[in-house]
Amino acid sequence: CDEPGCEFTATRSGQLAAHNCTHSGERSYACDEPSCEYRAVHAGTLTRHKRTHSDERPFTCDTSTEEQRNVRRKELNAAAQRRSR
């Protein structure tokens, strides 16, 4: 990163480009939901955000009920770890 005082390094140019947005404030991906002003640096982050406007919960396990479905795989994995204790 060329920003003075920033020591970020990346192995891929895309990582550096996304990181540079933290300095510039640029957020290229905008939510298309009316009255929502959310913008994201990454397309995947916007996809996850859009699920907050719907009931989409794509990640589930065999023991989950409909109410326990998760928006993020990370949340699903955490729930599985809690059940295994």
Side-chain angles (χ1 to χ4, degrees), residues 2-59:
D2 295 332
E3 187 73 22
C6 182
E7 297 179 12
F8 180 85
T9 59
T11 56
R12 293 184 289 218
S13 62
Q15 291 171 322
L16 181 59
H19 167 77
N20 284 335
C21 292
T22 64
H23 298 297
S24 69
E26 179 185 350
R27 295 178 175 271
S28 301
Y29 300 95
C31 183
D32 54 8
E33 188 72 23
S35 76
C36 182
E37 298 178 8
Y38 182 86
R39 297 183 68 82
V41 172
H42 303 284
T45 306
L46 178 61
T47 299
R48 186 175 65 220
H49 162 78
K50 286 182 174 184
R51 292 179 186 138
T52 66
H53 297 295
S54 71
D55 290 332
E56 182 184 2
R57 300 287 188 262
F59 304 107

